[in-house]
Amino acid sequence: MQPVPEQSPLPDNGPPISDVGGPHGPAHVAIIMDGNGRWAKSRGLPRLAGHRAGGEAVRRSVAAAIRHGVRWLTLYAFSAENWRRPASEVLDLTSLLRHYLRSEISALTAEGVRLSVIGEPGRFAEDIQRNLSAAERLTAGNRRLHLTVALSYGGRTEIVRAARAAAAAIVEGRMRPEELDEPRFASFLATAGIPDPDLIVRTSGERRLSNFLLWQAAYAELVFLDVLWPDFGETEFAAALAQYAQRERRFGARPG
Ligand code: IPE
Ligand code: IPE
Ligand code: MG
């Protein structure tokens, strides 16, 4: 997990194809990609087929994010709790991750996408860790879309780690306790330098965060879609943006 340097505003590698999101569209969209298993089951297929089809939906969402002028896209690909699944499914998921890392990096580079990882990449096999770091390095200069993939990610663990890092900074005399405020604490999180998500989308009809971006979600708009992740594409992305556009964000202030 590499800390992400400060980087706003993003210069362009090229303008978005259209600006459908408009100036008031979300800058940062985060997605809980759920429903691969149910998609496969409904077709009488093994769960692996659902995860494969989910990979195609990831491609479509990256393209849609770019088209709508979204600057940060964060995808929940594997939770810290997903290690509890049967070993065969974990193996399928890690094999797919290995495959996509090899096949997609040049496409991401060509599209001006920067890739970052949050979570615990150290829990994956060494070759995957190496390829993840290489992909982060290779795409570090890309500015069109900042794609963050959450892998073995858990929001509570992220917060505990940040607390530990802040405590160490105090003990070592690099920071005074009274200097620890919200922005400073956020700088110890894996998402340092990335703005909080404006919009969090979850597919498959489930209405929970499942330990995703707990700190960062404080004022995110939540959109729950019934579509199963492998069926997610441009239309569903646009539908989520349309729901977002209907919301009035108040941040605790009086209704305007
Ligand atoms: C999301 O789909 C993918 C991961 C969590 C890795 P699921 O595998 O959770 O699919 P459902 O929820 O069982 O349908
Ligand atoms: C959340 O989905 C994690 C990801 C989408 C990667 P899960 O399917 O694991 O969540 P629960 O178990 O339904 O809460
Ligand atoms: Mg699920």
Side-chain angles (χ1 to χ4, degrees):
M1 179 169 37
Q2 296 294 319
V4 182
E6 289 295 334
Q7 47 133 41
S8 60
L10 290 174
D12 254 330
N13 277 13
I17 298 157
S18 77
D19 198 18
V20 186
H24 305 300
H28 182 175
V29 176
I31 308 182
I32 303 171
M33 311 186 288
D34 199 13
N36 295 353
R38 277 161 282 171
W39 183 92
K41 192 172 180 200
S42 73
R43 284 167 172 71
L45 297 169
R47 290 178 68 87
L48 172 60
H51 295 313
R52 268 209 194 104
E56 296 300 316
V58 169
R59 264 198 211 110
R60 293 193 291 272
S61 341
V62 170
I66 291 173
R67 198 152 42 236
H68 288 278
V70 167
R71 310 312 288 280
W72 289 270
L73 177 68
T74 300
L75 300 177
Y76 202 7
F78 192 91
S79 75
E81 289 75 27
N82 286 150
W83 293 110
R84 295 179 188 154
R85 294 193 179 190
S88 59
E89 183 171 0
V90 169
L91 185 64
D92 283 346
L93 286 165
T94 52
S95 303
L96 271 181
L97 174 60
R98 180 178 284 115
H99 166 76
Y100 280 118
L101 267 173
R102 287 192 186 134
S103 68
E104 294 305 309
I105 295 312
S106 54
L108 292 182
T109 307
E111 287 162 11
V113 177
R114 174 181 179 181
L115 181 78
S116 296
V117 178
I118 56 171
E120 304 171 299
R123 291 184 71 180
F124 292 90
E126 253 181 50
D127 66 306
I128 292 180
Q129 294 181 42
R130 264 199 315 277
N131 286 335
L132 284 171
S133 303
E136 287 183 318
R137 259 197 324 276
L138 271 168
T139 61
N142 292 347
R143 288 291 179 271
R144 199 179 195 190
L145 175 75
H146 189 160
L147 171 66
T148 300
V149 181
L151 287 171
S152 187
Y153 174 87
R156 286 187 170 180
T157 296
E158 183 192 28
I159 291 169
V160 168
R161 282 186 172 194
R164 225 184 264 154
I170 291 169
V171 168
E172 291 160 17
R174 289 180 277 118
M175 183 173 72
R176 291 195 309 276
E178 57 275 20
E179 287 175 321
L180 186 59
D181 55 9
E182 290 182 15
R184 195 73 186 263
F185 188 78
S187 76
F188 290 102
L189 295 169
T191 51
I194 300 176
D196 287 344
D198 302 293
L199 167 62
I200 296 180
V201 179
R202 182 170 189 150
T203 59
S204 89
E206 307 295 349
R207 295 173 176 234
R208 55 179 169 266
L209 288 175
S210 299
N211 207 10
F212 188 46
L213 300 180
L214 296 183
W215 170 280
Q216 300 87 339
Y219 270 101
E221 295 296 331
L222 307 179
V223 167
F224 299 105
L225 301 175
D226 287 333
V227 66
L228 301 173
W229 178 248
D231 291 327
F232 188 91
E234 164 65 32
T235 308
E236 291 70 26
F237 196 94
L241 292 193
Q243 281 202 44
Y244 175 86
Q246 299 296 316
R247 305 280 176 88
E248 186 196 349
R249 302 188 77 189
R250 294 183 187 158
F251 301 99
R254 246 174 35 182

